[in-house]
Amino acid sequence: MRLIEKWKKQMDNMLFVGAVLMDLSKAFDCVPHDLLIAKLHAYGFDMDTLILFYSYLKNRKQCVKINNVFSSFMVLVSGVPQGSILGPILFNLFINDLVYFIKSDLGNFADDNSISDAAKTIPDLIIVLENESNNAIEWFHENGMIVNPHKFQFIIFNRNPNDESTYILKIAEKEIHSSSEVVLLGIEIDNNLKFDNHIHELIKRAGGQLNFLSREQKFITQNGKKVVIESFVLANFNYCPLVWHFCSSGSMKKLEKIQERALRLLLNDYESSYEILLTNSNKTTLQIRRIKVLATEIFKTINDLDPAYMNDIFELNTRRDTGSNWLIVQSQKSMKYGSYTLRSLGPRIWNKLP
């Protein structure tokens, strides 16, 4: 949400925007124990805690099992335990100082690292992204991480939907060609921020699941059918719905058609209108459902229950002495993307609530 909103705002300010999505190999397995302990010490952990973590990380052993035959055990010299509660926390602490070496916008989620920036011209943008990517690669090398520049994804967002130009980024002596689409944390992001291909994949997956359920429904109870539709089919639309909320009207109609099919299957009703199906199943349209999610995120943001960066999207107007929490509709030079942003829709929804 933060990245998409920022990119749209930069484009509305007549800037060219680009991003590099970096790829690390076995990131959690590569963390050097001694360097992690040194960083914890730099952050102010006391000696007893450092000794505890040193004991927790050191002298772990692993082996390989093939057909009930075990290899000899070997001592792990790096890595944090995956599948543990402490693993991601320790990895975040380890990678945290990367932000001091990158001047551009750095988006981190565990070992997914994305560098993005904006400039008045594409050549200037490419120079910035090249420099920052090389700075990141140098940090990764110095901190024991394995980088795969040939697997990096590079995209430049385009205000002109008819422009199919390809650009080249030179990183670590490799040339990376810009793509019209990249995948970040399971979301397909296209260079026009339309999300039509991402929606197409969601619909394709949900449609296939509905076809399977339709064939096998005679083996499933009514309650079981309801559980499957909620958790197996409609759950496809629960992941990051606000990111792709502003998809095309055609995609929105297709999304609603999938829910309509699911409700007809659930209620065994193939004649009533979509509105009656929604009423009988006590549901709303998927669009209304996403707007409820948006209102929830705004509530969490203004009550300090969301990450601090969400305040850049939903800005509370503290100057109004009305006793109500009003949101500011942020201004921009252009409305090409401004009307289709959470920073624009959010205040309009929130300020209408009683």
Side-chain angles (χ1 to χ4, degrees):
M1 283 173 61
R2 184 183 73 83
L3 287 175
I4 299 296
E5 287 293 304
K6 184 167 186 176
W7 293 339
K8 288 182 177 181
K9 190 171 185 177
Q10 288 170 329
M11 284 190 283
D12 274 335
N13 287 325
M14 304 304 179
L15 297 174
F16 291 96
V17 180
V20 178
L21 282 58
M22 294 176 283
D23 183 82
L24 298 176
S25 290
K26 305 289 184 181
F28 278 65
D29 293 331
C30 291
V31 176
H33 295 157
D34 293 342
L35 182 54
L36 173 58
I37 296 297
K39 290 189 178 189
L40 295 179
H41 175 65
Y43 285 132
F45 283 68
D46 61 44
M47 190 56 64
D48 287 340
T49 305
L50 295 176
I51 292 172
L52 175 64
F53 276 117
Y54 190 83
S55 171
Y56 174 73
L57 294 168
K58 285 291 186 179
N59 295 319
R60 288 181 176 271
K61 298 178 181 180
Q62 71 177 22
C63 69
V64 177
K65 175 186 176 184
I66 301 177
N67 295 331
N68 294 322
V69 178
F70 293 85
S71 71
S72 57
F73 279 85
M74 299 188 71
V75 177
L76 296 175
V77 296
S78 64
V80 293
Q82 295 193 45
S84 65
I85 294 174
L86 281 176
I89 297 173
L90 292 173
F91 182 82
N92 282 340
L93 288 167
F94 177 80
I95 204 173
N96 186 59
D97 61 293
L98 173 61
V99 301
Y100 295 117
F101 295 82
I102 305 297
K103 296 178 182 178
S104 298
D105 190 295
L106 179 64
N108 287 84
F109 187 88
D111 58 343
D112 279 282
N113 307 278
S114 305
I115 292 176
S116 64
D117 214 316
K120 292 182 178 180
T121 67
I122 289 181
D124 288 342
L125 175 62
I126 288 176
I127 289 173
V128 171
L129 291 177
E130 285 179 343
N131 291 338
E132 295 289 55
S133 297
N134 283 314
N135 288 340
I137 288 175
E138 183 179 356
W139 184 93
F140 288 129
H141 284 158
E142 291 180 351
N143 285 266
M145 298 279 103
I146 300 174
V147 193
N148 295 318
H150 62 283
K151 289 187 178 180
F152 282 15
Q153 300 178 81
F154 166 43
I155 188 169
I156 288 183
F157 299 101
N158 205 325
R159 294 173 59 85
N160 180 5
N162 298 319
D163 186 359
E164 298 180 357
S165 303
T166 300
Y167 304 95
I168 296 176
L169 212 60
K170 296 181 180 178
I171 302 175
E173 301 180 351
K174 297 184 183 296
E175 289 190 350
I176 302 172
H177 293 257
S178 63
S179 303
S180 59
E181 258 185 19
V182 295
V183 178
L184 177 60
L185 300 175
I187 300 288
E188 290 188 49
I189 304 172
D190 60 277
N191 58 1
N192 297 124
L193 296 176
K194 297 294 186 183
F195 296 99
D196 285 339
N197 284 347
H198 180 70
I199 301 298
H200 173 76
E201 289 302 315
L202 291 180
I203 292 170
K204 181 179 176 182
R205 190 185 314 144
Q209 292 165 346
L210 276 177
N211 292 339
F212 172 79
L213 184 58
S214 179
R215 292 194 304 267
E216 307 298 330
Q217 62 176 315
K218 59 185 177 182
F219 302 110
I220 307 174
T221 64
Q222 183 65 19
N223 186 59
K225 194 192 301 185
K226 181 179 180 180
V227 170
V228 170
I229 286 176
E230 287 286 353
S231 61
F232 191 50
V233 181
L234 298 182
N236 286 292
F237 311 126
N238 292 342
Y239 177 61
C240 299
L242 296 183
V243 171
W244 44 264
H245 175 72
F246 300 100
C247 58
S248 67
S249 58
S251 292
M252 282 194 181
K253 290 178 182 177
K254 291 176 183 177
L255 286 169
E256 299 295 347
K257 279 292 183 185
I258 285 290
Q259 177 165 263
E260 182 180 346
R261 278 187 60 197
L263 295 182
R264 291 194 186 284
L265 184 62
L266 176 63
L267 301 174
N268 292 317
D269 184 346
Y270 298 92
E271 296 181 356
S272 299
S273 66
Y274 185 31
E275 290 72 18
I276 292 176
L277 292 172
L278 291 170
T279 301
N280 292 341
S281 59
N282 195 28
K283 282 191 172 297
T284 64
T285 64
L286 292 174
Q287 184 177 16
I288 293 296
R289 189 169 161 186
R290 293 195 300 274
I291 290 174
K292 288 183 177 181
V293 173
L294 174 58
T296 303
E297 288 303 324
I298 295 172
F299 175 86
K300 289 162 62 179
T301 299
I302 65 178
N303 287 283
D304 296 324
L305 301 173
D306 256 348
Y309 56 72
M310 293 295 288
N311 291 312
D312 295 332
I313 302 175
F314 306 122
E315 185 179 352
L316 189 63
N317 186 355
T318 57
R319 295 184 295 275
R320 293 187 61 158
D321 188 21
T322 61
S324 299
N325 291 324
W326 289 78
L327 292 183
I328 298 172
V329 180
Q330 302 178 28
S331 60
Q332 54 275 326
K333 293 181 181 179
S334 163
M335 290 300 290
K336 178 178 175 63
Y337 291 100
S339 300
Y340 303 100
T341 58
L342 300 178
R343 70 177 186 271
S344 175
L345 177 62
R348 286 188 277 126
I349 296 295
W350 185 258
N351 293 342
K352 288 181 179 179
L353 293 177

